[in-house]
Amino acid sequence: MFDIHSSESIRYHGTDVPLFNILYMSNKGVLSAKRVAVYHINQDRNLAYGHQVTIASETEPSSGEFPTFISLRIDRVIDVFDTHEEAVQAFEQAETLYADRILQIKSDPGYHGRKQPPKDYSFKVCFTGFTKADKAELTELAEAAGMKVVTSVSASLDFLCCGDNAGWSKMKKANELGVPLVRHGQIRLLIETGELPESYAEAQ
């Protein structure tokens, strides 16, 4: 599905990363067109990791120039396009052009939030702004899924998970280093479904 010889690419942490324009169906049945910079693909787990910008969606506003970290189920990518304009056009006609493919995705037993056993999500995550008990529970959950939990923010961090009392210093440093900020609900759904929700609202 993802051709490593994509005609477009961006620089990410000093490396050229292929950029794709895709039509995607999320675990909650939300159809969207995205531009995704894919920096890692794990075929065994059917997942692609990267940064994305939503350019058209049924429920979410376009995210404009602000990319967010994303984990995608490869089997829910409906199609890949040469340009983002083509992806938007396909999104607008998806119910007609891709009716069979959408039905196939919705008929899959794993569709729409079926919980799965934790898999080896080898991310590096830092939790900040949580009570001692909540942080311990989140740490146990993350480590059971194969994540490495650290206490400081660095450029190698995959994401900073922020609680209600998150300190500005860690959030500021994460922003400066380009580390995505996420909420605990997003982490939980990533482990359960293989997808990281694009927004805090989706994780509620």
Side-chain angles (χ1 to χ4, degrees):
M1 179 62 73
F2 290 108
D3 181 356
I4 60 172
H5 302 294
S6 170
S7 59
E8 290 187 275
S9 65
I10 62 170
R11 295 290 289 179
Y12 177 73
H13 287 217
T15 303
D16 285 328
V17 178
L19 186 64
F20 300 93
N21 304 286
I22 68 171
L23 188 63
Y24 186 75
M25 175 73 73
S26 79
N27 193 55
K28 289 189 174 182
V30 177
L31 189 68
S32 61
K34 304 177 182 294
R35 284 173 62 80
V36 185
V38 178
Y39 60 76
H40 181 67
I41 295 175
N42 190 315
Q43 296 287 358
D44 292 337
R45 293 185 306 192
N46 195 34
L47 296 174
Y49 310 126
H51 283 78
Q52 65 89 36
V53 172
T54 297
I55 51 181
S57 173
E58 294 177 320
T59 61
E60 291 294 314
S62 298
S63 49
E65 71 273 24
F66 301 105
T68 57
F69 178 86
I70 194 164
S71 169
L72 293 173
R73 285 275 300 271
I74 296 174
D75 59 342
R76 297 210 178 112
V77 176
I78 295 174
D79 208 346
V80 181
F81 307 91
D82 290 332
T83 68
H84 68 276
E85 289 89 356
E86 290 175 338
V88 172
Q89 289 175 2
F91 166 78
E92 293 171 349
Q93 304 175 56
E95 296 297 334
T96 300
L97 297 177
Y98 298 97
D100 291 343
R101 180 75 178 98
I102 291 171
L103 180 61
Q104 179 187 26
I105 292 173
K106 290 184 175 182
S107 300
D108 186 274
Y111 174 73
H112 211 63
R114 181 175 65 85
K115 292 188 177 182
Q116 302 171 342
K119 299 179 182 179
D120 179 21
Y121 298 109
S122 52
F123 299 117
K124 185 182 289 185
V125 59
C126 176
F127 295 104
T128 185
F130 295 96
T131 65
K132 186 176 180 179
D134 287 343
K135 186 174 183 178
E137 190 262 337
L138 287 166
T139 297
E140 181 180 356
L141 180 71
E143 290 179 342
M147 297 184 191
K148 182 177 181 181
V149 179
V150 298
T151 57
S152 60
V153 176
S154 68
S156 65
L157 193 67
D158 285 296
F159 30 67
L160 177 65
C161 186
C162 303
D164 292 338
N165 297 312
W168 172 241
S169 59
K170 280 188 175 179
M171 295 173 68
K172 181 175 182 291
K173 186 173 182 181
N175 279 322
E176 291 172 349
L177 295 173
V179 175
L181 306 181
V182 299
R183 299 284 281 185
H184 67 90
Q186 292 170 281
I187 295 289
R188 293 178 192 277
L189 285 176
L190 170 62
I191 293 171
E192 291 175 359
T193 69
E195 292 180 345
L196 184 75
E198 296 174 33
S199 68
Y200 296 167
E202 284 189 67
Q204 302 305 312

